Amino acid sequence: MMTARSLGIIACASALAISFSPMASAQETIKIGELNSYKSQTAFLDPYKKGWEMAVEEINAKGGVLGKKLEVVSRDDGSNPGDAVRVADELVTREGVNILTGTFLSNIGLAVAEFAGKKQVFFLASEPLTDKVTWQNGNKYTFRLRPQTTTQVAMLLPDALAAKKKRWALVYPNYEYGQSAAAAFKEMMKAKQPDVEFVTEQAPPLGKVDAGAVVQAIDDAKPDAISMRVRRRPGQIRP
């Protein structure tokens, strides 16, 4: 959840950025453009939105940041990279936001990060986990709040190794986050346990899991253990 501290970091970055522009410095507020997959990921993002709304209220009640009140202009990104870029552009060109933040899914975060780099707009990715946001596809205008996928998978590795299982089944959502998490897990496991085998990989489309088919495929492969990648945690081990 985006806390007052996290939003304060965003606002301070924005205040620093606009301080170099006389026209922007004259503004009474710091405008933050926020975009997220609210319609498709309500279970997580409804509480998330309540969190940043409370943070805005708390910060403004204390006088804002550098004497300026915060104003968040929020939009749904349609859970689609193309729509997200269009929304980001509207926030910058029509709404006149000073910086961008938000995004939940890694593929959306990557699209907005690319936009931020091209348009030279500060972007703080609040939720995307893929390493590419700040590494392979990174740029000097994009930063992140959360640990990246590789870091989170590394946190899981000691438990996976302690299970002492050879034959593994992998289950992960078939989009950027799931793909990168599974790849990192396989690479790290092979480095530490060379005889490891990955006997099946089940990669259902994001949000469209056919549990029966997945379970049947895993049962047919007869693994010793299962590693599941779900969106809100780096993975789960099931011996």
Side-chain angles (χ1 to χ4, degrees):
M1 180 179 294
M2 188 178 291
T3 62
R5 179 176 179 274
S6 299
L7 197 62
I9 293 172
I10 299 170
C12 285
S14 181
L16 180 62
I18 67 176
S19 66
F20 295 100
S21 168
M23 183 178 296
S25 297
Q27 295 176 350
E28 296 296 324
T29 62
I30 296 174
K31 293 187 73 172
I32 299 172
E34 194 273 343
L35 62 161
N36 245 310
S37 303
Y38 289 109
K39 294 178 182 177
S40 67
Q41 305 293 330
T42 55
F44 179 83
L45 290 175
D46 275 354
Y48 168 94
K49 187 174 185 180
K50 289 182 174 65
W52 65 251
E53 287 174 338
M54 292 174 63
V56 170
E57 184 178 348
E58 178 182 331
I59 292 171
N60 284 342
K62 294 180 179 179
V65 176
L66 300 180
K68 297 178 182 293
K69 295 296 181 72
L70 303 185
E71 177 186 352
V72 178
V73 183
S74 181
R75 297 285 187 270
D76 194 282
D77 59 31
S79 301
N80 179 280
D83 290 343
V85 170
R86 176 183 56 77
V87 169
D89 188 56
E90 289 178 356
L91 287 170
V92 172
T93 59
R94 295 185 186 179
E95 298 293 342
V97 302
N98 305 123
I99 71 170
L100 295 170
T101 189
T103 71
F104 179 77
L105 302 173
S106 289
N107 55 338
I108 306 299
L110 283 171
V112 177
E114 182 180 3
F115 168 84
K118 290 180 178 178
K119 297 296 184 178
Q120 300 182 4
V121 178
F122 183 96
F123 170 49
L124 184 60
S126 57
E127 288 296 324
L129 301 179
T130 180
D131 298 18
K132 293 178 183 178
V133 166
T134 50
W135 286 96
Q136 296 96 319
N137 296 25
N139 59 70
K140 65 180 181 180
Y141 297 95
T142 299
F143 299 80
R144 73 162 82 238
L145 278 177
R146 300 194 62 205
Q148 61 196 23
T149 299
T150 298
T151 301
Q152 296 204 356
V153 172
M155 293 164 57
L156 172 70
L157 203 65
D159 289 336
L161 294 170
K164 298 186 178 191
K165 303 298 181 180
K166 181 178 179 180
R167 293 167 53 83
W168 284 81
L170 302 182
V171 182
Y172 55 89
N174 193 19
Y175 81 114
E176 172 58 33
Y177 162 70
Q179 295 163 2
S180 60
F185 181 74
K186 289 191 290 184
E187 182 180 354
M188 292 182 191
M189 284 294 290
K190 287 178 180 178
K192 295 291 186 179
Q193 186 182 321
D195 67 342
V196 68
E197 297 177 18
F198 298 98
V199 295
T200 186
E201 293 186 33
Q202 296 299 306
L206 179 65
K208 299 179 181 179
V209 180
D210 183 343
V214 171
V215 170
Q216 184 61 55
I218 292 174
D219 188 56
D220 291 342
K222 296 180 171 52
D224 301 324
I226 304 170
S227 176
M228 296 183 292
R229 292 303 186 275
V230 293
R231 183 56 188 86
R232 294 313 333 139
R233 53 179 71 92
Q236 299 171 305
I237 300 297
R238 293 291 182 268

